[in-house]
Every structure is written in structure tokens, then in C-alpha cells.
Amino acid sequence: MRPVFWFDFNSPFVYLAAERIDPLIPDAEWRPFAFPLMLGAQGRLEEAMGRDPHAAIEAASGRIAERGLPPLALPAGWPAATWSLHPLRAAVYADEQGRMREFVRVAYRRFCAEGLVLSEVANLRAAAEAAGLDPDAVLDAIERPDIKQRVKDNTDAAIARGLPGIPTVEVGGELVWGDDRLDEAAALAERADGH
């Protein structure tokens, strides 16, 4: 069973993980899901939305600087005001086109380094184009019932598995939460492969 990289588009910690997971766990399946809906199902949404975001911004900013990425510049109103299903659906379409990783990385760079809200059509179009996708096809795809269903199915699966947060890497049924634990997830994946 392949490792699974569970993510949503509203966390700078997912950005950090997406930028470095491929060399560590190259065969991981990237699986977008609606994190706030999972939190709601777990009864944790109100608590999560009530937290002061400054501690998370400070921690993420430090890691981003250590890794030589552009400084963190999240959109105003993050996290509550910037969540959207549109980039999740666009990622599912990008996966159909063999461009999931490219789209996720471009979209996250725009979100975290340029402060662009991914639910805005112009920003989603620009990210799609930069990732080698047809922007019009992406906008059509995010309204397709089968793509909406795939995001819902992924979200239901995340709820059923009891994911603790994002990013999470699932290896052989074990859930490893946090961009700072990717090395641990990679070691588990190597052992699972018999290396």
C-alpha cells in the first residue's frame, strides 16, 4: 500500500511539506481533502478557529526561513477567511492531468509567499496556468460532480481514519502528523518497503 500525503490548501505547514516530500517519499499518493469539514465532524472546528494564529505564523515563518523559501506572506483573514473547496477540486483535476504536484506547489507558493487567496478566480487561473494546466478547463472541472464527489470521498476517508491534522502522511495505517515529521514518515515508508 502506497503512503498517502493528506493535505488541504490553508496551512503553511502543508506548504513546507509539499516542498520537500518528493525526495523523501517519492511514491506517496497526494490526497486533497476538506480539513475544516473533518474538524467539524470531529467536534474540533470551533476550537481550531478560535486559536490565535500568531504562534502558527511564527513557527512556520522560522521553518520557511531555515529552508530558504520566500518569506511567509499569508492573505489577510487567514485562516478562516481563506479556506475554499475550489483549490481542492482543482488539485483533483490536476491529478487527472498528471500535474497534481506541480499545481499544489504553485498554488501554495502563491498563497504563502504572495498572499493570494486561492478561491478567487483570477488567482486560481494563474496558478493553474503556471502549473501547465488549461485555466478554462480547471474552472470547468471544479464544477464537475465527479470531482466534487472525489473531494467528498477523500474527506469522508480522512474523517474515518481520524487524521490528527495537516499535513499527515499515512504509512501502513500509521498516521504521522506534521511537516517536521516527514523524515520519520520516510523511515516508516522505507521499512514498509523492506529496505
Side-chain angles (χ1 to χ4, degrees):
M1 183 185 296
R2 290 172 64 192
V4 179
F5 174 47
W6 294 91
F7 70 93
D8 192 347
F9 275 99
N10 210 24
S11 167
F13 300 104
V14 173
Y15 169 52
L16 284 159
E19 287 288 333
R20 70 186 195 105
I21 191 171
D22 274 352
L24 295 171
I25 313 172
D27 63 334
E29 174 194 342
W30 291 36
R31 197 173 296 176
F33 76 102
F35 181 55
L37 296 181
M38 186 195 79
L39 288 176
Q42 294 174 341
R44 299 176 7 190
L45 183 60
E46 189 175 329
E47 175 196 347
M49 290 295 110
R51 284 193 199 116
D52 182 349
H54 290 95
I57 290 171
E58 189 174 318
S61 294
R63 292 179 198 174
I64 283 168
E66 286 168 9
R67 294 181 193 161
L69 296 168
L72 189 63
L74 291 167
W78 178 83
T82 55
W83 179 71
S84 173
L85 288 168
H86 290 163
L88 296 171
R89 295 173 186 165
V92 170
Y93 174 74
D95 191 34
E96 289 182 355
Q97 304 304 308
R99 310 285 303 167
M100 165 94 75
R101 287 161 164 78
E102 293 84 356
F103 174 75
V104 171
R105 288 192 184 105
V106 167
Y108 250 118
R109 287 172 193 152
R110 304 234 165 171
F111 178 73
C112 285
E114 298 176 36
L116 300 179
V117 178
L118 298 175
S119 61
E120 293 179 10
V121 169
N123 295 336
L124 196 60
R125 284 181 65 88
E129 188 169 17
L133 297 165
D134 177 342
D136 292 326
V138 170
L139 294 183
D140 288 343
I142 64 175
E143 299 303 329
R144 278 175 32 198
D146 61 314
I147 283 185
K148 292 179 180 181
Q149 187 63 46
R150 187 161 154 205
V151 173
K152 183 184 183 312
D153 291 345
N154 288 350
T155 304
D156 290 345
I159 293 166
R161 284 168 173 75
L163 262 61
I166 52 172
T168 291
V169 178
E170 182 177 6
V171 182
E174 187 162 344
L175 302 174
V176 183
W177 172 33
D179 76 283
D180 55 339
R181 296 180 64 203
L182 280 185
D183 293 305
E184 180 183 332
L188 281 173
E190 279 194 28
R191 285 199 294 276
D193 272 352
H195 292 105

